[in-house]
Amino acid sequence: MAWVPAESAVEELMPRLLPVEPCDLTDSFDPNVPPRTPQEYLRIEAAHCPDVVVAQIDPKKLKRKQSVNVSLSGCQPAPEGYSPTLQWQQQQVAQFSTVRQSVNRHRSHWKSQQLDSNVTMPKSEDEEGWKKFCLGERLYAEGAVGPAASESPGIDYVQIGFPPLLSIVSRMNQATVTSVLEYLSNWFGERDFTPELGRWLYALLACLGKPLLPEAHSLIRQLARRCSEVRLLVDSKDDERVPALNLLICLVSRYFDQRDLADEPS
């Protein structure tokens, strides 16, 4: 077996980006003299570069969840009389598409608008902070039931939750949109559906970029399945939660192309 020099092995595994002739610093090179040609510059730089570079990675900065589990199970079928018509679903998709276009078109304008002094957006990784910000401290503390009407004059958004104003959601990048969608989906996974939750879920879906990243793909499927589970527990088809739940299932299945989750038209 022929002996292969170490440098040749490195060369074979990692081809050079630019061809550089072997460099011998003992010939005519003077380190105190600037290189006279591009070839001389590349030869000097190449001679001082290590053959192998190891990246210094801080494990603490890696995201907690590196794996993405995508369930292929579908939604629970709608009870009789609860499923929306195909025409209704098509209308919702068309309107949602218009909303997304408007958000994208005016994002720069709304992002430049100054927030009110009482609005402090949590950091992207602050799960509990985002739940309180979106749902309000009362609903966050009480769990499944909405907050009672405030006895004090004015609106206390800290207590009832900040609405998904364009000036707020326009400041959220895709990583934050996905994170908050995950936080609220986790909250919804153990609690009932509320109007505050519905408004934020709709707004986050309107800001969610396409094509979907794997983690976003998994999240919206989880959301649609949860909506179908909660819908089974609703006693009356006239309950105000039914159209809201139908809407979220419709957007996930028909706008984001998760057709296996779609409701069969009534």
Side-chain angles (χ1 to χ4, degrees):
M1 179 180 295
W3 174 75
V4 179
E7 292 185 359
S8 298
V10 173
E11 186 80 14
E12 182 179 347
L13 290 173
M14 296 184 297
R16 296 181 180 182
L17 179 62
L18 296 174
V20 181
E21 297 177 357
C23 181
D24 182 3
L25 294 180
T26 63
D27 53 16
S28 60
F29 285 102
D30 184 348
N32 297 319
V33 177
R36 295 164 294 180
T37 66
Q39 289 75 17
E40 287 186 2
Y41 175 81
L42 291 175
R43 291 175 66 187
I44 294 176
E45 288 295 311
H48 289 85
C49 290
D51 290 334
V52 178
V53 178
V54 179
Q56 300 299 322
I57 300 177
D58 184 359
K60 296 180 181 179
K61 294 184 179 180
L62 296 177
K63 192 174 180 181
R64 291 176 301 161
K65 299 178 181 178
Q66 293 293 316
S67 59
V68 176
N69 297 318
V70 179
S71 174
L72 298 179
S73 60
C75 288
Q76 296 291 335
E80 185 176 355
Y82 285 54
S83 182
T85 65
L86 179 59
Q87 181 182 9
W88 182 90
Q89 296 183 61
Q90 293 172 338
Q91 290 174 344
Q92 301 308 315
V93 169
Q95 182 177 351
F96 181 70
S97 178
T98 301
V99 170
R100 282 175 60 92
Q101 292 173 14
S102 179
V103 170
N104 291 329
R105 187 181 307 116
H106 301 293
R107 181 180 298 275
S108 297
H109 167 76
W110 287 106
K111 188 176 180 180
S112 66
Q113 301 301 303
Q114 186 174 359
L115 294 174
D116 291 342
S117 58
N118 65 330
V119 181
T120 302
M121 295 174 63
K123 294 183 179 180
S124 180
E125 64 275 11
D126 185 2
E127 179 170 355
E128 302 309 311
W130 274 108
K131 290 176 182 177
K132 294 177 182 178
F133 183 86
C134 299
L135 305 174
E137 293 193 357
R138 287 182 180 175
L139 182 56
Y140 174 82
E142 295 173 12
V145 297
S150 175
E151 297 179 358
S152 59
I155 300 176
D156 186 352
Y157 286 116
V158 173
Q159 293 297 318
I160 68 173
F162 289 91
L165 302 174
L166 284 172
S167 56
I168 293 177
V169 297
S170 294
R171 285 173 161 80
M172 301 169 64
N173 58 28
Q174 283 300 299
T176 303
V177 169
T178 303
S179 294
V180 178
L181 184 60
E182 178 182 6
Y183 303 153
L184 296 184
S185 295
N186 290 342
W187 191 90
F188 183 36
E190 300 176 355
R191 296 169 180 83
D192 199 357
F193 185 83
T194 66
E196 296 85 357
L197 177 65
R199 286 192 290 267
W200 267 99
L201 292 175
Y202 186 94
L204 292 171
L205 291 178
C207 296
L208 193 62
K210 292 180 70 176
L212 294 172
L213 296 175
E215 54 267 33
H217 176 269
S218 176
L219 281 172
I220 65 171
R221 290 183 62 86
Q222 172 188 334
L223 172 61
R225 287 194 299 271
R226 177 56 182 166
C227 287
S228 70
E229 294 168 356
V230 172
R231 185 174 57 184
L232 285 177
L233 304 176
V234 177
D235 294 331
S236 170
K237 64 180 180 180
D238 297 323
D239 191 299
E240 63 180 7
R241 290 171 294 176
V242 172
L245 294 168
N246 285 344
L247 175 59
L248 293 173
I249 295 172
C250 169
L251 297 181
V252 169
S253 61
R254 299 193 180 275
Y255 183 86
F256 290 100
D257 299 319
Q258 307 300 309
R259 297 304 174 110
D260 60 304
L261 302 180
D263 280 321
E264 292 294 332
S266 58

